[in-house]
Amino acid sequence: MYLLEMNNIQKSYGSLDVIKDISLKVEEGEIVSIIGPSGSGKSTLLRCATMLETVDKGEIVYLGEKAVWTEETSKGGHAVYAKKRQLKEIQKNYGLVFQNFNLFPHYSVLKNVMDAPVSVQKRDKEEARKTAMELLKKMGLEDKADAYPCQLSGGQCQRVAIARALALNPKILFFDEPTSALDPELTGEVLKVIRSLAELHIAMVIVTHEMAFARDISHRVIFMADGVIVEEGRPEQVFASNNERTQAFLGRYGEMLKH
């Protein structure tokens, strides 16, 4: 059984087709990187997978449980979502790390990490605090527990965001360009943290412009362009691809990847 299945997903904004019939499967513990030019639908695909955007058509399944499916009507098919309570259960399977951190500015670092386990998952406050402190330690931020987001660097904010996502104990973590808002020095520290998560056997789907990172960390790389998956496979296959579209995109990164 797959951890996540997305089948024949379609998403449009008015007359603009952003995702055109994409299917994607992720196994438990698998690390999948999604690469491609800006505007190719990568972030939208992640937002659809995490229910932040509604799909027009298609099916989304977590561990065999359908979150979304398509019902055919006389006017054609349209997506139907599971009932609220069922969706809430399904949503426990995943966490999402945004490119702009999305931390609560008026909460301390510790409260940012503790908040969802206590208020959403109704976990014991003391247990949630203990877990949050362990995660902050793992992120190298235990001395920042009482600080506020405005007192942190971008890299530290992103590590808090990762700790917050991990606090919900997800089976799969989605990263939407986790380093795009950071300068190169801070990018390195966040990528190092994401690399360390691979040892936890959490599945990860990472939308990234960091090609060397995608090549080194992923079990599978997906190249998207113009709302479709152009190519997918093991990193060494995709990065040595003969496909013209893939080559044109990767050509810009070719010199960098040789190092």
Side-chain angles (χ1 to χ4, degrees), residues 6-172:
M6 299 180 79
N7 298 316
N8 309 111
I9 300 296
Q10 295 178 33
K11 174 69 182 173
S12 302
Y13 296 106
S15 60
L16 181 67
D17 296 332
V18 182
I19 295 176
K20 308 165 188 171
D21 199 21
I22 281 184
S23 295
L24 161 71
K25 292 178 173 62
V26 181
E27 294 184 6
E28 293 205 37
E30 188 179 21
I31 300 170
V32 179
S33 287
I34 304 178
I35 62 172
S38 295
S40 57
K42 307 183 299 295
S43 292
T44 303
L45 186 66
L46 243 57
R47 292 177 69 82
C48 288
T50 54
M51 323 286 168
L52 290 174
E53 294 280 0
T54 54
V55 303
D56 300 329
K57 279 188 181 182
E59 183 181 61
I60 300 175
V61 186
Y62 280 93
L63 288 171
E65 205 169 342
K66 283 188 186 181
V68 185
W69 59 94
T70 298
E71 273 187 7
E72 295 301 331
T73 64
S74 55
K75 293 178 182 174
H78 67 98
V80 177
Y81 279 72
K83 289 192 166 60
K84 216 172 181 179
R85 186 181 291 183
Q86 196 182 354
L87 277 182
K88 228 174 175 180
E89 284 302 306
I90 290 169
Q91 285 167 335
K92 288 179 181 175
N93 289 309
Y94 61 78
L96 175 61
V97 178
F98 301 88
Q99 51 184 311
N100 294 321
F101 329 131
N102 285 21
L103 298 175
F104 295 117
H106 54 296
Y107 284 179
S108 68
V109 164
L110 181 62
K111 191 161 167 41
N112 262 289
V113 178
M114 278 177 64
D115 186 57
V118 173
S119 57
V120 179
Q121 295 183 336
K122 309 298 180 201
R123 282 203 229 151
D124 176 71
K125 206 168 183 178
E126 222 23 71
E127 180 203 329
R129 175 187 291 275
K130 192 174 162 221
T131 303
M133 285 306 295
E134 283 168 7
L135 286 167
L136 289 175
K137 189 175 179 181
K138 186 172 178 58
M139 299 292 141
L141 292 169
E142 59 201 303
D143 59 333
K144 301 289 184 189
D146 297 325
Y148 285 81
C150 64
Q151 298 170 305
L152 305 180
S153 71
Q156 288 170 330
C157 283
Q158 194 58 292
R159 283 184 280 153
V160 174
I162 293 170
R164 180 180 61 180
L166 287 170
L168 293 167
N169 214 9
K171 292 186 170 64
I172 182 168

Side-chain angles (χ1 to χ4, degrees), residues 232-255:
E232 69 176 297
R234 295 195 310 278
E236 60 271 23
Q237 291 173 319
V238 174
F239 283 101
S241 168
N242 292 322
N243 180 292
E244 271 181 45
R245 188 72 186 82
T246 312
Q247 275 188 338
F249 174 72
L250 289 173
R252 287 177 288 154
Y253 298 97
E255 286 309 306

